[in-house]
Amino acid sequence: MKNWIIVLLLLFVVTSCKTRNSAKKVNKNINIDSAFVLNEDQNPKDNNEPVRNKLPFFEHVIPTPQFEQIKINSKVNVETGSFIPTLDATIYIEKDKKVWMNLTAFIITVARGIATPEGIKGQDKTSKTYIDSDFDYLNNLLNVNFFDYKSLEKILLGRTFVKINDSQFTLTQNAQGFRMASNVTQKIVTDEKTREYNIILNYDTNYDLLNVNLKDVLSPDELDVSYSNWEEINGIRLPRNVKIIIKGSKNSQILLENTKFDFSRMDTPYSVPSSYKKIEIK
């Protein structure tokens, strides 16, 4: 797969540490989320105390922000082991309808993608190739079952997209904020095997999501996502910085610096030239 398609997938499909093409079936009963591990200097310095009244926490972290559309201008740095220059990204989210993305390098468009509730499309203009996939295919390919259009919106906006509840997670509080940790491993069953994950989510005292961690208990596979420099813009809390670290047989890192937020409508052209070749995601 070419570098630009990799970038599109990493930005659109913030998922588990390895991609596999042997998975055929996903257990739809478990919802898993992407993740972040605290750095040493971020570790809470006091004991986590159990939260007894959990209602205010859930009232703040579960609802999604109310908006019609958001345009985000970002600087993107990707490390995959291959050289990829710093990219300028325009990400346009039309709530519940589409996420459109355009990537440029040196003012030249190099990749473009669009996600809708039906699936994901992306094209690499440098290699004249494209992808066209539904979410079921991506979930099977990646051995996950949480990824859909709504989770994509939440990932980009720094919202909770893992299914959290009292029976499988423990909520505690410390001076830095809140910690939601799974108290039983979260299982994903495929035809190949059953994978088990531990999940930790950390929030600021004002309920901004700081980081999430998804760790495979039987392998080194791990996914870290962190959010920082939150600001309130047009009444919506939004992160200026996003860091995605994928650990496994190969390590990758994505840094997004969101430089501008705009709430006006924009055109989102997407069409694939007839000369482009369709490729499978591998």
Side-chain angles (χ1 to χ4, degrees):
M1 194 175 0
K2 298 296 184 179
N3 284 342
W4 306 119
I5 294 296
I6 292 174
V7 173
L8 279 170
L9 286 176
L10 289 174
L11 293 176
F12 271 146
V13 190
V14 183
T15 50
S16 65
C17 311
K18 295 181 181 178
T19 60
R20 301 168 178 84
N21 55 17
S22 59
K24 301 295 183 181
K25 181 180 179 182
V26 175
N27 181 353
K28 300 296 183 180
N29 295 325
I30 303 294
N31 289 323
I32 306 295
D33 192 333
S34 90
F36 174 77
V37 172
L38 287 171
N39 295 325
E40 291 183 359
D41 59 350
Q42 293 177 295
N43 283 324
K45 297 179 177 59
D46 59 338
N47 294 329
N48 289 299
E49 297 294 335
V51 176
R52 296 184 178 181
N53 182 11
K54 302 176 182 178
L55 183 59
F57 173 83
F58 285 104
E59 287 179 340
H60 280 88
V61 304
I62 298 300
T64 56
Q66 297 302 308
F67 66 94
E68 293 184 2
Q69 63 277 324
I70 296 178
K71 175 185 175 183
I72 307 172
N73 292 337
S74 300
K75 295 285 186 182
V76 183
N77 286 285
V78 182
E79 297 179 8
T80 64
S82 300
F83 172 73
I84 298 177
T86 298
L87 302 172
D88 291 308
T90 300
I91 303 169
Y92 179 77
I93 304 172
E94 195 167 320
K95 186 174 174 62
D96 299 329
K97 295 181 179 179
K98 63 182 174 183
V99 174
W100 179 88
M101 183 180 298
N102 191 74
L103 296 172
T104 63
F106 311 112
I107 317 180
I108 299 173
T109 296
V110 294
R112 182 171 291 173
I114 188 167
T116 67
E118 288 70 43
I120 290 175
K121 300 178 180 180
Q123 57 182 276
D124 175 358
K125 294 183 177 295
T126 64
S127 65
K128 296 185 178 180
T129 56
Y130 73 97
I131 58 172
D132 190 340
S133 170
D134 61 25
F135 291 106
D136 284 342
Y137 177 82
L138 289 174
N139 278 310
N140 290 342
L141 178 71
L142 298 162
N143 275 0
V144 299
N145 62 357
F146 66 83
F147 193 78
D148 58 16
Y149 177 80
K150 289 303 297 180
S151 67
L152 172 60
E153 279 193 2
K154 292 178 180 179
I155 289 168
L156 294 173
L157 298 175
R159 283 348 189 245
T160 303
F161 59 96
V162 63
K163 183 179 180 180
I164 52 178
N165 53 57
D166 286 343
S167 63
Q168 296 189 352
F169 285 79
T170 299
L171 177 63
T172 56
Q173 187 172 10
N174 54 62
Q176 286 71 41
F178 299 90
R179 182 179 187 268
M180 178 67 78
S182 58
N183 49 43
V184 295
T185 57
Q186 306 296 295
K187 296 182 179 180
I188 297 178
V189 180
T190 69
D191 288 346
E192 183 182 4
K193 62 179 178 180
T194 298
R195 295 172 64 85
E196 299 184 24
Y197 296 87
N198 288 325
I199 301 174
I200 298 175
L201 303 93
N202 289 280
Y203 300 81
D204 204 344
T205 53
N206 63 353
Y207 305 103
D208 287 339
L209 181 60
L210 298 178
N211 45 67
V212 191
N213 172 257
L214 187 151
K215 176 70 173 65
D216 188 330
V217 299
L218 301 177
S219 79
D221 292 0
E222 191 169 345
L223 180 62
D224 306 337
V225 180
S226 65
Y227 301 92
S228 61
N229 295 329
W230 285 80
E231 294 183 13
E232 185 165 329
I233 304 172
N234 279 24
I236 299 176
R237 297 286 297 174
L238 294 167
R240 286 284 184 182
N241 297 93
V242 183
K243 177 187 288 187
I244 302 164
I245 301 176
I246 303 169
K247 300 178 181 179
S249 58
K250 293 184 179 180
N251 296 340
S252 300
Q253 179 172 288
I254 307 170
L255 301 176
L256 289 85
E257 180 186 357
N258 296 326
T259 58
K260 182 180 180 181
F261 297 96
D262 191 321
F263 294 84
S264 59
R265 286 191 175 273
M266 65 171 289
D267 293 331
T268 55
Y270 185 86
S271 61
V272 179
S274 59
S275 60
Y276 280 34
K277 179 181 178 180
K278 184 177 181 179
I279 62 173
E280 297 298 328
I281 304 171
K282 296 181 179 180

